[in-house]
Amino acid sequence: MRIRFARFSAPAIAFAISGVAQAQTADPAGPDVILVTASRTGDPAGVEIAGRQAIERRQPQSLLEMLADLPGVRAAPLAGPAGPSLLSIRGGEGNFTAVLIDGIRLNDPTNSEGGAFDFTLLDPAIVERVEVARSAGSAIHGSDALSGVVQIVTRAPPAEGFDLGGSAWLDSRGSGAATAMAAAGWGGGGLLGALGRYDSGDDDPAGSIRRTQALARARQAIGGFHMDAIGLHATTHGTAFPQDSGGPLLAVIRTREVRDGDLSLAGVSIARDPAARVRPAFSLGYTLQHHDSDSPPIAPGVLDGVPATRVQARFARLEATASLAADAGPATLALGSAILREDGSSDGTLDFGFPLPVRFALTRVTHSGFAEATLRLAARLTLTGATRYDHLSGGDGHWAGRGAIAWQVAPDGPTLSARAANGYKRPSLYALGHPLIGNPALAPETGRSIEAGIDWPLGRGRLALTLFDNRFRNLIDFDAGSFRLVNRARVGTQGAELAAEAAAGNGWSVRGALTYLAIDSATPLRWRPAWTGNVRVTWQHGPWEATAMLRGNSSFADSAIPTGPRTTSGHVEADLGGRYALSDRVAMRLSLLNLGGNRSWSAVGTPARGANLRVMLVLN
């Protein structure tokens, strides 16, 4: 959805790349958990990963920082630490990405972002890795995966014994976080529990956020099956200038918006051992989300102002999936079905000098069937295909498909690959049900993605080049004439990603990336620079590690009510970090973030924080 009523402006779409990612070449999930990011039959499909080491090195306040360091991803808070989460893959809309945690969907279709997820709800310290598939994934995950999939994998219990762990950090800007974990493992099973808290402090004029979180994970082997269960509860309380108000530098009305959110989820999955020839699997996931906001009005400027708003929203999702995978000679086949129930409601007011109620409540149920196949031929040639049909109860149905081919030229040589897929996204409950601008006749947004690339191992390094072309249709946009949301926009994104890494000897290594993005759109689209890139140099010797990273982007289009459309200048920033292992289990890390004090704008009038010194203690 390209325009939110509460802001009357285009939503977040952007694109960035970083070199801390590593290409996924095999299924990283252990036998204790069912995780499907890009395939049920073993096709990696261009998945990029940020692992535990990269998360610790970055010491992120939220997972947005980690996602911003992955190829093909643009991620940032748009209005300070409590602002809306911007997440875009290869130029797709911010709500075109399916977000999952241990296989459980997280997207919230009751918010004005059209189904985006608020990443400030999750503590990075509980995350083992983040997987990102950068092409349409509707053939695997159905709606929401129009431009890609983000899978968040939480930390698992140990195989044996009892562990205590955690981390804590403080920085010179008054922010701090602490997470404590206890875990136990035994033959065939284990338990893990974690508690965490984060406080951004009050030093940032753009606002503040406080987060609390509790996580529990359990696993158990039962005969030839593996069961995994997860429970999570998180709450946030934040303040921020309303999006497009001009932020702390330009907003005329200085009152901040107050935002409260919470997320509760529970899930269980059971699957046959991956070594078995026939592998049935079943998963059940439930999420409950609330988001409440009390936003002041935005004074008119170059664009019209926005009235004060109050919103209390609730969304619940229940999803069950059953599948059967089997090996048949050189082929792996999978088929299955799923049922998804979504219940959302919103109760709010707009202040036009009198409170105008804006309420809606909608329920939808989707039944799905899917099939996938991977064929591995003797000539190091792999073919993959997938298809899925989703039928909305009382509504229409939608097909999605994808196909891929990969050829490894020689046993240790380069791999050539090509993929094509189509995807779709059903209109959010907000877009369908909002009493002022909602439109029950909205059609799904659709798209297709094509990519081709080469991944070339070079001795102690790697070079990868990927070309991509995406086309999106029926995008939901706000029509001022009819004062409602309509399907009308078309957008194309094309580009190239170049990534390289090398080990130089004596503990030195370097990793870098450069991306070019071209946009075909009738109107300028916001927050998407044409060029993004980074380079990271690391030195390791014994207990010592030192890291230097440089990242930047070119200028991009943006807009705000005080200024109207404008161009935000590009920027370059640098980080330095050092780590010392006090023992096998205890390490201390020191980081100097934004070394040059760059104050670039992520949104109009909202500058980045200046230079920042952060100290972290980690107990593994």
Side-chain angles (χ1 to χ4, degrees):
M1 185 168 58
R2 299 183 62 212
I3 288 193
R4 295 183 292 275
F5 173 71
R7 304 292 177 252
F8 290 94
S9 59
I13 305 177
F15 179 74
I17 193 160
S18 176
V20 303
Q22 50 185 323
Q24 167 69 358
T25 57
D27 182 7
D32 55 305
V33 63
I34 301 172
L35 291 174
V36 180
T37 300
S39 172
R40 292 177 175 86
T41 56
D43 174 32
V47 173
E48 294 286 339
I49 295 177
R52 184 69 224 158
Q53 185 180 33
I55 294 172
E56 182 190 329
R57 181 181 291 120
R58 184 69 188 269
Q59 305 172 48
Q61 300 178 59
S62 82
L63 284 176
L64 289 174
E65 296 177 49
M66 285 310 307
L67 289 165
D69 283 344
L70 290 174
V73 179
R74 170 73 164 171
L78 289 179
S85 297
L86 163 64
L87 173 64
S88 174
I89 294 180
R90 288 181 174 172
E93 293 280 357
N95 58 352
F96 282 2
T97 300
V99 182
L100 305 95
I101 182 167
D102 290 347
I104 301 172
R105 294 176 188 259
L106 297 177
N107 300 71
D108 180 0
T110 64
N111 60 39
S112 60
E113 283 78 33
F117 174 67
D118 180 8
F119 281 90
T120 63
L121 282 163
L122 296 179
D123 179 2
I126 68 164
V127 177
E128 181 65 27
R129 66 183 183 272
V130 181
E131 305 176 0
V132 179
R134 298 169 296 162
S135 60
S138 292
I140 312 299
H141 297 281
S143 180
D144 297 333
L146 182 51
S147 64
V149 181
V150 170
Q151 174 92 254
I152 300 158
V153 182
T154 59
R155 302 181 75 171
E160 297 285 347
F162 179 78
D163 280 342
L164 289 175
S167 62
W169 60 263
L170 293 170
D171 69 24
S172 58
R173 294 282 179 174
S175 300
T179 304
M181 281 178 279
W186 54 85
L191 290 170
L192 178 144
L195 296 172
R197 180 172 175 81
Y198 164 66
D199 190 334
S200 70
D202 299 317
D203 179 70
D204 193 337
S208 63
I209 190 167
R210 291 165 177 81
R211 175 183 62 229
T212 61
Q213 185 165 279
L215 167 75
R217 273 198 65 182
R219 65 181 184 183
Q220 182 63 53
I222 306 173
F225 288 81
H226 297 270
M227 183 186 71
D228 195 277
I230 179 175
L232 183 144
H233 180 70
T235 64
T236 59
H237 173 76
T239 63
F241 285 91
Q243 189 178 348
D244 296 339
S245 66
L249 298 184
L250 302 177
V252 175
I253 298 173
R254 307 303 296 174
T255 305
R256 292 178 183 173
E257 179 179 358
V258 178
R259 300 172 178 167
D260 292 285
D262 65 68
L263 166 67
S264 300
L265 67 83
V268 62
S269 60
I270 184 167
R272 188 74 181 273
D273 191 304
R277 182 179 178 185
V278 179
R279 300 177 295 279
F282 174 78
S283 64
L284 181 67
Y286 175 78
T287 59
L288 176 63
Q289 300 183 57
H290 296 88
H291 65 266
D292 303 340
S293 65
D294 186 352
S295 180
I298 302 176
V302 175
L303 303 178
D304 292 337
V306 174
T309 62
R310 290 187 178 184
V311 174
Q312 292 181 317
R314 175 188 183 276
F315 176 68
R317 176 189 285 115
L318 179 65
E319 183 173 22
T321 303
S323 64
L324 181 68
D327 297 324
T332 300
L333 309 174
L335 56 86
S337 62
I339 182 170
L340 171 67
R341 179 184 175 91
E342 300 171 299
D343 295 281
S345 64
S346 179
D347 188 354
T349 59
L350 290 172
D351 186 356
F352 289 103
F354 60 92
L356 177 66
V358 283
R359 302 185 180 99
F360 66 85
L362 293 173
T363 296
R364 60 186 177 191
V365 178
T366 305
H367 296 84
S368 306
F370 53 83
E372 302 175 38
T374 295
L375 179 63
R376 301 171 182 88
L377 302 178
R380 297 180 296 277
L381 185 68
T382 302
L383 305 175
T384 301
T387 186
R388 179 179 175 122
Y389 180 73
D390 299 311
H391 182 264
L392 182 66
S393 293
D396 58 356
H398 204 97
W399 285 97
R402 72 183 304 164
I405 182 171
W407 176 45
Q408 188 176 19
V409 178
D412 296 317
T415 297
L416 305 175
S417 63
R419 299 181 182 89
N422 73 311
Y424 81 102
K425 181 188 181 303
R426 293 195 184 278
S428 69
L429 302 183
Y430 178 94
L432 294 169
H434 194 282
L436 293 184
I437 62 169
N439 182 357
L442 287 170
E445 297 165 288
T446 63
R448 64 102 176 118
S449 59
I450 299 173
E451 67 175 68
I454 180 172
D455 195 324
W456 201 327
L458 299 171
R460 302 175 67 183
R462 165 182 170 256
L463 181 68
L465 173 66
T466 303
L467 307 178
F468 63 88
D469 183 282
N470 297 333
R471 288 286 185 268
F472 302 110
R473 296 178 176 83
N474 290 331
L475 299 194
I476 297 175
D477 204 351
F478 179 72
D479 179 63
S482 62
F483 204 76
R484 69 187 324 194
L485 296 169
V486 298
N487 294 103
R488 66 178 179 188
R490 294 189 177 189
V491 171
T493 66
Q494 306 85 39
E497 301 165 353
L498 178 65
E501 59 184 87
N506 296 320
W508 289 93
S509 63
V510 61
R511 187 187 301 263
L514 182 67
T515 299
Y516 174 71
L517 174 69
I519 299 171
D520 178 13
S521 174
T523 58
L525 300 180
R526 303 169 70 184
W527 302 306
R528 280 168 287 191
W531 293 94
T532 55
N534 65 79
V535 62
R536 189 191 77 213
V537 178
T538 302
W539 174 77
Q540 291 179 305
H541 180 73
W544 293 95
E545 177 188 273
T547 303
M549 187 162 189
L550 192 69
R551 63 175 65 87
N553 58 262
S554 60
S555 61
F556 55 87
D558 202 352
S559 178
I561 287 174
T563 64
R566 57 154 287 155
T567 298
T568 295
S569 300
H571 82 285
V572 175
E573 63 182 79
D575 297 340
L576 292 176
R579 180 183 185 274
Y580 179 72
L582 301 171
S583 69
D584 290 341
R585 300 195 59 203
V586 182
M588 178 172 288
R589 182 174 290 276
L590 186 69
S591 297
L592 183 56
L593 308 175
N594 195 4
L595 179 62
N598 169 71
R599 302 304 304 275
S600 60
W601 291 4
S602 60
V604 174
T606 304
R609 302 174 84 184
N612 189 10
L613 179 65
R614 187 173 295 170
V615 180
M616 184 178 193
L617 185 66
V618 180
L619 174 64
N620 293 312

